[in-house]
Amino acid sequence: MPKPRDRSELTVPSRTEALARVREFVRAQALRSGFSEDQVDQIVIAVDEACTNIIKHAYGGDASRRIRIRVEAHSDRLEIVLLDRGKMFDEAAYQEPDLAALIRTGHRGGLGLMLMRRLMDAVRYEHRNGTNMVRLIKYHRCTPP
Amino acid sequence: MSQFSVSFRSHDGVEIFYLRGELDAHTAAELEAAFERSLQEGRYRIVVNCAELSYISSAGLGVFMAYVETVRAQGGDIKFCHMSPKIYNIFDLLGFPLVYEIVPTEAEAVARFARHAETPRPE
């Protein structure tokens, strides 16, 4: 696989206070890669959702843990990789929630992954050697010939 | 760092929440506190003015999901107004416009409560 032409990384504590800093960092990288304001907004929300899931689910609110966010700019796409060493995500058991059912049952969660999938071109999850890796991918739109 | 605040105004028996700033998993607690306060005071008709809301993630949307059944059970509702296209897009992606009334202006949102109240109940 060709190396990204640009790569930057941020490590933050697993606390919701860090979300604003993560958004700021990802926004700057995505803008630098040449995405439109609308696309940048979409990327930023998707990364926020992925980070929130790590804070709440993978680390279960343990603020002493850390999250690594790596942004890789390729010629045709931006990839944001989030790494944590918390609880594994059971992707096979995940079902896209039904909003009306969530409301009826008083649940408020379950929408983060749904939003990530709708905002990005691809969302990939891997668990290797105790590390969770979420990869969010957004392609630059092809310009017509 | 992220800044978020909620301010309030009551008009014609309707509680209006003015959201300002970025609503995420960190700041959602402040919105939750606003709903708790309204419910404790018996105010179930709520208009959420999003004119100054610059960002929302699903944690913020989750707060509206958590309270809508409670306020509706008391004859109230949560209605939204002055939503920017950017914020509306997130509501729309998750199907929120099917569950919540989103209208252009605050006056219209308040008026919808009044109209609803005037509708005679079937015998």
Side-chain angles (χ1 to χ4, degrees), chain B residues 57-84:
Chain B
S57 70
S58 71
L61 294 163
V63 179
F64 301 122
M65 284 165 66
Y67 288 97
V68 70
E69 284 290 272
T70 311
V71 298
R72 283 180 183 164
Q74 299 292 332
D77 199 6
I78 304 170
K79 299 183 196 294
F80 297 86
C81 64
H82 293 289
M83 203 178 267
S84 68

Side-chain angles (χ1 to χ4, degrees), chain A residues 16-54:
Chain A
T16 53
E17 286 97 321
L19 290 169
R21 204 169 123 216
V22 171
R23 291 198 296 270
E24 207 177 299
F25 168 71
V26 172
R27 172 170 295 280
Q29 305 304 318
L31 278 171
R32 211 168 69 178
S33 301
F35 284 96
S36 70
E37 282 285 344
D38 284 353
Q39 289 171 318
V40 171
D41 286 342
Q42 292 172 352
I43 294 166
V44 166
I45 296 176
V47 175
D48 177 318
E49 297 292 347
C51 252
T52 301
N53 279 351
I54 294 170

Side-chain angles (χ1 to χ4, degrees), chain A residues 16-17 19-20 23 27 41 44-45 48-49 52 56 99 102-104 107-108 111-112 114-115 118-119, chain B residues 1-2 22 24-26 32 55-58 62-63 65-66 68-69 86 90 93-96 99-100:
Chain A
T16 53
E17 286 97 321
L19 290 169
R23 291 198 296 270
R27 172 170 295 280
D41 286 342
V44 166
I45 296 176
D48 177 318
E49 297 292 347
T52 301
K56 295 200 167 169
L99 183 62
L102 284 179
I103 288 173
R104 267 198 313 275
H107 279 81
R108 62 175 68 190
L111 297 173
M114 192 165 143
L115 204 48
R118 292 186 185 177
L119 293 169
Chain B
M1 292 312 282
S2 83
E22 302 189 347
D24 64 8
H26 186 59
E32 215 169 308
Y55 178 84
I56 191 163
S57 70
S58 71
V63 179
M65 284 165 66
V68 70
E69 284 290 272
K86 177 181 155 181
I90 300 304
L93 277 176
L94 294 174
F96 272 62
V99 181
Y100 297 90

Side-chain angles (χ1 to χ4, degrees), chain B residues 4 11 70 88 99 103 119:
Chain B
F4 177 76
H11 182 75
T70 311
Y88 181 82
V99 181
V103 298
T119 310

